[in-house]
Amino acid sequence: MTQLTNQPVVSLDAVSKSYGRETVVSDVSFNIQSGECVVLVGHNGAGKTTLMKLMLGLTRPTSGSVEVLGGNPAFGKAVAQHKNLGYLPESVALYEAMSGREVLAFFARLKGVSVVDYEQLLETVGLADAAKRRVGTYSKGMRQRLGLAQAMLGNPRLLFLDEPTTGLDPGLRHQFYELIEGLHEAGATSLISSHALSEVEARANRFIIMKSGVVIASGTLDELYLQAALPVRLKIAVAPGLAGSVAERLGSEINISAISDTTLSVSCFNGDKMSLVRRIGELGDLVDDLQIKPPKLDEVYSHFMNRELS
Amino acid sequence: MKMLWTLALKELRDGFRNRWVAAAIIVLGILALVLSVLGSAPTGSVRVSELDISVISLASLSVYLIPLIALMLSYDALVGEFERGTMMLLLAYPVTRWQIIMGKFLGHVMILSIAIVVGYGGTIVALTLVSGSGTEGWQAYATMMASSLVLGAVFVAMGYLVSVTVRERATAAGAAIGLWLVFVVLYDLLLFGVLTMDEEQQIGQQLFSMLMLANPTDSYRVLNLSLFEGISEAAGIAGVASEAGLSGTLLISSMLAWIILPLVTTLLVFQRREL
């Protein structure tokens, strides 16, 4: 997307956070490079929100170190850096008695953003018509959009988005990801926490999977496939009545999950995939079509979750 | 400074929006109107100006009312934002925690100023113009207004301290009422009781002065009821201040200390607070 500089925008080193006896985040380390879009995945209470709070300086780590935009965010020392930062909290709380425009104007003034810019943002998130209404009368989706607008004030270099698409309808979700993409093209970095795996699958550079405060896996989607060693599924379409003979010719060692008159569903490990494809190719005219389906992020996620259980 | 102003202006706007300012102006205005009109009756031939009488009655009631208004403005200021979750978002902006506290304080003091200036000041100016009575004693009235604002600021600061230490808004409301009871009612009742029982006069002049200074509402009372000669005679507590060695400067300083102390403590607690 953009050129990656050496200095990470966010850097966590062996970060742990406990409230009393309860440990919410345990020994978490990762870097986020400039321009990256990283998605935090995990169940409720996995520590995603706590991580964001640590990065915002809302709370301090019990041990380890957090660095954001080149400084320690803890307790007001790096407040000036917040000018370059956008945050959308989970189920965002905004000033109910104020109108949408007033809320955005207030936040814009705190960030030193001009009037034109926030009026434009209202337009972008589709709240221009409701701008004069009290936030208290807004629907869940409208609040979320207003929350998004405030996070994008002043074209921040770094975005923390906690469950950004909850409450948005599919059209708005799409629009939201387009907005984020636009910011990325301008060089922004973002960290998004999400449950909606199918949504973020195609959009993120990297995933960090968390469970009970621990990072259990991280990497690009491809790296995660390899780590998970989940089977790849192949769907072979054949001429009517030939499925049985195709199966025979592929040999006994392949794993057939379903067979019908015209289709054959086969799965194999990623390493065996190419040799299997070659053998299918040798079948010539017998095969009408071939679809290769890599595992979905959902499956990768549940694989890592279950692995931790056993 | 621009940050402070933005934050203060938001509080002020909130005050106008939720009719707080209007309600406070009406309450204080009616109070000033009723007491001034009623107060002008008994002056008769005594050489006390009408304004002086107004000061006595208004100050006696403001001691109860101003702290109440101030606490109602402030008890929710921090705990409300913690509970609703808006503080988390606010802190993600380039504002420091002390700016948040001072911005709110500035905003709330502005609300009180408007209420006092319009409610007390406006009423008395209107009455003077209508009745054509003299403006003798305006200094005492002005002092009463200014010190009412200081008294209000004291309780705004105390309200913040409550607001930053408790976990729930309901608790904050309860604690604020408790604070009001202790400083406005119980303290004086206790002091009065002790003084009555103190037949051997063990509580000397000095201790008495200290006790007056220790409670901002008493400082306010002494300042308004016994510092101006005409007033202290009419109020029946002539010479209390001078005998107790309490000067205006000392009384005001004590009240200012009561603003600074809770504000600084609030800030220290807030700085340590994790969200």
Side-chain angles (χ1 to χ4, degrees), chain A residues 142-304:
Chain A
M142 290 165 84
R143 281 159 205 253
Q144 195 69 10
R145 277 185 276 164
L146 186 59
L148 204 59
Q150 66 78 26
M152 298 194 337
L153 277 170
N155 296 321
R157 277 171 56 203
L158 178 59
L159 279 156
F160 292 126
L161 306 168
D162 205 347
E163 308 277 351
T165 55
T166 39
L168 297 186
D169 60 57
L172 280 171
R173 277 169 198 238
H174 183 76
Q175 207 189 338
F176 159 75
Y177 284 111
E178 274 183 354
L179 289 174
I180 298 296
E181 228 152 84
L183 285 174
H184 270 274
E185 273 159 23
T189 309
S190 63
L191 179 68
I192 303 174
S193 94
S194 184
H195 286 303
L197 299 181
S198 51
E199 266 176 44
V200 293
E201 191 164 356
R203 294 181 169 93
N205 302 102
R206 211 146 54 82
F207 299 87
I208 294 170
I209 303 179
M210 290 191 72
K211 188 183 180 188
S212 314
V214 186
V215 173
I216 54 172
S218 73
T220 63
L221 204 49
D222 292 340
E223 284 165 1
L224 289 175
Y225 290 156
L226 286 179
Q227 283 176 43
L230 285 175
V232 182
R233 273 186 302 256
L234 291 86
K235 201 172 173 188
I236 310 163
V238 297
L242 292 172
S245 65
V246 167
E248 230 165 81
R249 292 186 53 180
L250 284 176
S252 56
E253 67 269 30
I254 66 156
N255 184 4
I256 298 169
S257 50
I259 186 162
S260 76
D261 199 33
T262 56
T263 58
L264 205 59
S265 294
V266 178
S267 64
C268 73
F269 285 110
N270 205 47
D272 303 332
K273 185 177 69 191
M274 284 318 291
S275 72
L276 182 62
V277 170
R278 265 180 234 115
R279 266 189 288 160
I280 294 169
E282 282 162 13
L283 295 175
D285 287 347
L286 285 177
V287 178
D288 282 348
D289 190 23
L290 174 65
Q291 284 178 39
I292 301 176
K293 290 181 179 167
K296 287 199 177 309
L297 183 59
D298 288 23
E299 296 168 72
V300 175
Y301 173 66
S302 50
H303 166 82
F304 282 114

Side-chain angles (χ1 to χ4, degrees), chain A residues 17 19 53 56-60 75 79-80 82-83 85 87 89 92-95 97-98 102 106-107 109-112 150 153, chain B residues 2-3 6-7 9-10 13-14 17 81 84-97 99 270-275:
Chain A
K17 176 70 192 171
Y19 292 104
K53 284 184 183 176
L56 283 164
L58 295 178
T59 175
R60 282 169 298 194
F75 286 66
V79 158
H82 285 193
K83 224 179 161 60
L85 203 144
Y87 174 47
V92 60
L94 300 152
Y95 301 103
M98 291 162 89
E102 283 173 326
F106 171 63
F107 285 132
R109 257 177 249 126
L110 290 183
K111 249 186 181 176
Q150 66 78 26
L153 277 170
Chain B
K2 200 174 145 256
M3 274 319 173
T6 303
L7 291 162
L9 219 57
K10 179 191 170 285
R13 287 220 178 95
D14 285 350
R17 193 184 301 108
E81 293 221 33
R84 283 185 286 263
T86 46
M87 187 63 87
M88 233 163 74
L89 194 55
L90 190 55
L91 283 173
Y93 276 80
V95 286
T96 57
R97 296 187 184 212
Q99 281 173 330
F270 189 28
Q271 292 282 22
R272 274 174 187 72
R273 173 92 177 219
E274 299 191 61
L275 282 104

Side-chain angles (χ1 to χ4, degrees), chain B residues 55-56 58-64 67 144 147-148 151 180-189 191 212 215-228 231-232 235 237 240-241 246 251 255:
Chain B
V55 168
I56 295 166
L58 270 181
S60 313
L61 276 171
S62 295
V63 159
Y64 298 94
M144 189 274 294
S147 57
S148 293
L151 182 68
W180 182 82
L181 270 177
V182 168
F183 278 95
V184 178
V185 182
L186 293 179
Y187 187 91
D188 285 354
L189 272 181
L191 187 60
M212 288 288 113
N215 185 343
T217 58
D218 281 326
S219 301
Y220 174 85
R221 246 192 279 253
V222 174
L223 187 70
N224 284 295
L225 298 184
S226 72
L227 223 54
F228 289 89
I231 292 178
S232 71
I237 50 169
V240 168
L246 297 169
L251 291 163
M255 289 172 83

Side-chain angles (χ1 to χ4, degrees), chain B residues 32 37 50 67 76 92-93 138 140 163 189 202 207 229 235:
Chain B
V37 171
E50 287 171 16
D76 188 44
Y93 276 80
W138 68 271
S163 201
L189 272 181
Q202 299 217 332
L207 183 59
E229 208 176 310

Side-chain angles (χ1 to χ4, degrees), chain B residues 89-244:
Chain B
L89 194 55
L90 190 55
L91 283 173
Y93 276 80
V95 286
T96 57
R97 296 187 184 212
W98 80 265
Q99 281 173 330
I100 291 176
I101 302 276
M102 288 314 291
K104 279 180 183 289
F105 182 71
L106 210 63
H108 284 145
V109 167
M110 282 196 288
I111 292 178
L112 284 175
S113 322
I114 293 170
I116 289 170
V117 168
V118 179
Y120 282 173
T123 311
I124 223 66
V125 167
L127 276 180
T128 313
L129 288 178
V130 169
S131 68
S133 59
T135 52
E136 195 191 333
W138 68 271
Q139 296 96 328
Y141 197 85
T143 307
M144 189 274 294
M145 276 171 50
S147 57
S148 293
L149 181 59
V150 178
L151 182 68
V154 166
F155 280 88
V156 167
M158 285 201 213
Y160 290 163
L161 188 53
V162 166
S163 201
V164 81
T165 34
V166 302
R167 288 276 153 186
E168 277 171 46
R169 294 169 73 191
T171 324
I177 292 173
L179 216 59
W180 182 82
L181 270 177
V182 168
F183 278 95
V184 178
V185 182
L186 293 179
Y187 187 91
D188 285 354
L189 272 181
L190 266 170
L191 187 60
F192 187 68
V194 170
L195 284 176
T196 320
M197 288 192 301
D198 183 32
E199 282 167 357
E200 278 147 44
Q201 306 238 332
Q202 299 217 332
I203 297 178
Q205 206 59 258
Q206 217 168 1
L207 183 59
F208 179 75
S209 314
M210 296 291 270
L211 287 169
M212 288 288 113
L213 284 173
N215 185 343
T217 58
D218 281 326
S219 301
Y220 174 85
R221 246 192 279 253
V222 174
L223 187 70
N224 284 295
L225 298 184
S226 72
L227 223 54
F228 289 89
E229 208 176 310
I231 292 178
S232 71
E233 275 171 27
I237 50 169
V240 168
S242 53
E243 268 180 45

